[in-house]
Amino acid sequence: MCGITGAAWTDPQLAVSAEALRRMTDCISHRGPDDAGYLHRELENRNPYPAVPGVALGHRRLSIIDLAGGKQPLSNEDETVWTIFNGEIYNFGALRGRLEGGGHAFRTHSDTETIVHLYEDEGPDCFRHFNGMFAIAIWDLRERRLVLGRDRLGQKPLYYYHHAGRIVFGSELKTLLALPDVPREIDPTAIDEYLTYQYVPHPNTILKGIKKLAPGELAVFSDAGLHVERYWKPDFTHEDRRSPPLQDAELRELFDDAVRLRLQADVPLGAFLSGGVDSSLVVSSMQRQSDRPVKTFSIGFPQKEYDETSFARQVAQHLGTEHHEFQVTPSALEILPKLIWHYDEPMADSSAIPTWYVSQQTRAEVTVALSGDGGDELFAGYRRYRAVGLGAMIDHLGPLKRVLGAKLWQKLPSSGRQKSRLRQAKRFAEAIAMAPERRYLDWVSIFNETRRGQLYTDEFVAQLSDSDPFDFLKAAWRRSGKRDAITCASLADLTTYLPCDLNCKVDIASMAHGLECRQPFLDYRLVEYAAALPIGRKYQRGRGKQILRKVFGDRLPVQIWDRPKMGFGVPLDYWFRHELKELLIDSLLSEKALRRGLFREETVRELLDEHMSGQFDHSARLWALLVLELWQREWIDA
């Protein structure tokens, strides 16, 4: 796990100096506190042959495997291929054996060298063979090109800015902004997307011209310009029709092997343990494959509704782990500036706060931690899928659904609590007449289309493009073809919410503390297997993860399987009425904020008044607006 940055250029006027490369690399020193490495070569004119582009590669290293020999940038024997990368190639041992059999000689024991030699054999097709989490840059001197690649599920981020004869890239947006000629112009369409999803969907970023390489994509920069293509194209329309015993056996084998591969490390290793099904299953598999107690870590908060430590403790005792439990009283005023700097693109998921604290505490004991991320998307675990299933049933009523939905919505009273059953029922009724994918977006949005229309000023609306934020979710939903609605929703979450929100949140929070986080559920073999499962194997009688319970039921206490699902959150609604009240009001209603011309003052005041009076819980919306305003002050106004 590391941080990478760099550039390649064919125009000498756009050269990135060695000094600038060091500035870019220093921006992400937190991602790799153990070492730094650089490659810098100016553009070479070789008349009458085409010029060799200039290249700059910077690397910050968090040493995990081959502590002594894995220094980057790393090259092949004749230094015609160089690479830097962030992440881990879990199947590097098997790949190494194949490459050595083909005549390649290895100088190190690191997974990095596998990238170099496989690229020599396969070119950009090498990414198809990697099982891992990664953002990779490869400099190919012979072909005069820079090749970038990102892992299939977007566990590792990769930003880039391509303009004329240069490309600049980095693990975090701030590396690109270290160059003064990279523009910092906010994209209004990205703000519209951010307030819809609580993140800016790939390939866009909050800034015009700067892009994110999408999960499962590679990019090639050469004399011909920039070419981007997708190398991972799973068929989500396919459904596995094998017998349940065969499916169960494959799940057991795939899951335990995914965990096994992620236990490779030359540094202390442990696991996050929330006491939920997914993290508990990961720890169970770890403990079954270990000859010593696994180190597990959980975090607790004073507010009971946000504290899962009793469940984590129960699992730890059942499995016999070496459990570490931390009680934290989060200080929003203290942590907000840190979050705004590290999350250098606005991200409004407030669970970044507990993720930050558990990463900080865990890093004091280990360098690598496994987590249960991905289980809900793969095995239909989110509670909102109940609404999706119910909506699908009502859809079969045809034209009657519009009438029933309208009548139900009119009869339901209002509720101020965002997550109350009454409020959820009313939101369901309001959206029931919509198409399934549009309805789903309405349910998961922070600001749905109606609320965004009420929020935006006419001046801001005039700046928006004709694109619709809905297009991002719609494209993901429709990749599942004519499969059932819960499958469409969960696999859409797998390719939207998971990489853009959850993986981003975990990557930034963990790497801010020099901690590597590995996610066995996101092994692409397990993902492809789970995506093909019929919904009846995952979801029955309003409950998901049924196949996990059938296959792994004896690994966990029965109480863990039956416990209600809790969110990993913080008491935002309370904070905004107390310790964050002054900051919130002063920020959102300041002259500076109103002068930006984005949002109607009267709508912002209404949100604040309704929240402060207890009339309605607008905490998620207010958090999104606060994060955006503070982000602009940190990264745009400075």
Side-chain angles (χ1 to χ4, degrees), residues 40-74:
H40 188 272
R41 291 183 176 175
E42 298 289 350
L43 185 148
E44 299 177 35
N45 289 309
R46 297 185 175 183
N47 292 326
Y49 304 104
V52 176
V55 65
L57 302 179
H59 183 260
R60 291 294 314 200
R61 187 182 184 203
L62 177 63
S63 303
I64 303 293
I65 293 175
D66 190 7
L67 306 188
K71 186 177 177 64
Q72 300 179 41
L74 188 147

Side-chain angles (χ1 to χ4, degrees), residues 327-584:
Q327 287 292 326
V328 174
T329 302
S331 170
L333 287 170
E334 177 185 338
I335 200 173
L336 250 177
K338 298 175 184 178
L339 293 178
I340 297 300
W341 189 85
H342 280 279
Y343 288 88
D344 47 21
E345 185 176 26
M347 211 274 287
D349 187 342
S350 61
S351 66
I353 296 174
T355 306
W356 175 279
Y357 281 113
V358 74
S359 297
Q360 182 182 62
Q361 297 293 339
T362 300
R363 183 60 178 91
E365 300 288 337
V366 299
T367 311
V368 177
L370 274 63
S371 80
D373 295 314
D376 286 313
E377 290 81 6
L378 293 181
F379 297 100
Y382 289 127
R383 287 179 293 185
R384 60 179 177 258
Y385 297 148
R386 295 183 185 179
V388 172
L390 180 57
M393 291 174 58
I394 295 176
D395 285 338
H396 289 301
L397 298 175
L400 282 176
K401 75 171 185 175
R402 297 180 181 272
V403 178
L404 293 175
K407 288 183 176 179
L408 178 60
W409 170 57
Q410 291 167 6
K411 290 182 179 180
L412 287 172
S414 297
S415 171
R417 293 180 55 226
Q418 185 72 20
K419 295 185 179 181
S420 71
R421 291 185 179 180
L422 187 60
R423 176 58 187 160
Q424 291 170 348
K426 186 164 185 176
R427 288 194 69 190
F428 177 86
E430 288 173 342
I432 199 61
M434 301 177 181
E437 58 268 46
R438 174 71 77 169
R439 181 167 64 222
Y440 189 60
L441 178 63
D442 195 77
W443 290 337
V444 301
S445 294
I446 308 177
F447 288 89
N448 64 17
E449 190 171 26
T450 300
R451 285 193 175 276
R452 296 199 311 277
Q454 295 167 345
L455 177 67
Y456 298 159
T457 64
D458 293 341
E459 174 189 354
F460 180 66
V461 170
Q463 300 176 53
L464 295 176
S465 67
D466 292 334
S467 63
D468 185 346
F470 172 55
D471 292 341
F472 180 63
L473 178 66
K474 180 172 68 175
W477 183 287
R478 295 187 176 180
R479 287 180 67 185
S480 298
K482 296 182 179 180
R483 297 180 71 182
D484 63 278
I486 295 178
T487 293
C488 291
S490 61
L491 295 184
D493 283 340
L494 179 75
T495 55
T496 59
Y497 175 62
L498 176 78
C500 297
D501 186 312
L502 300 184
N503 286 347
C504 171
K505 173 189 71 178
V506 170
D507 173 78
I508 295 296
S510 59
M511 292 311 300
H513 299 98
L515 176 73
E516 173 168 301
C517 186
R518 300 176 176 178
Q519 298 146 307
F521 276 105
L522 299 187
D523 186 299
Y524 80 93
R525 302 167 302 164
L526 183 58
V527 168
E528 291 175 351
Y529 159 86
L533 283 176
I535 193 59
R537 300 243 51 213
K538 303 179 187 181
Y539 192 88
Q540 298 172 14
R541 296 181 295 277
R543 297 181 69 102
K545 302 184 182 175
Q546 293 304 299
I547 190 172
L548 293 181
R549 183 164 190 164
K550 182 177 185 299
V551 174
F552 302 117
D554 60 343
R555 294 191 180 186
L556 303 178
V558 67
Q559 298 92 330
I560 299 303
W561 292 105
D562 293 332
R563 58 162 288 200
K565 188 174 181 61
M566 292 176 63
F568 193 42
V570 288
L572 276 184
D573 54 343
Y574 177 84
W575 286 355
F576 282 151
R577 296 186 184 102
H578 297 86
E579 64 179 283
L580 282 181
K581 180 177 181 179
E582 184 177 349
L583 173 65
L584 179 69

Side-chain angles (χ1 to χ4, degrees), residues 309-339:
T309 51
S310 62
F311 297 108
R313 197 179 312 126
Q314 184 178 7
V315 173
Q317 292 170 353
H318 178 81
L319 298 176
T321 71
E322 180 187 322
H323 192 53
H324 302 256
E325 188 176 297
F326 310 106
Q327 287 292 326
V328 174
T329 302
S331 170
L333 287 170
E334 177 185 338
I335 200 173
L336 250 177
K338 298 175 184 178
L339 293 178

Side-chain angles (χ1 to χ4, degrees), residues 191 194-199 340 346-350 446-447 455 572 576 584 588 599 618-632:
I191 291 180
Y194 163 75
L195 292 176
T196 302
Y197 293 104
Q198 75 184 8
Y199 55 79
I340 297 300
M347 211 274 287
D349 187 342
S350 61
I446 308 177
F447 288 89
L455 177 67
L572 276 184
F576 282 151
L584 179 69
L588 298 189
F599 309 132
H618 287 301
S619 55
R621 297 184 183 98
L622 293 172
W623 179 257
L625 295 177
L626 178 62
V627 166
L628 179 62
E629 174 59 27
L630 296 182
W631 176 85
Q632 290 178 93

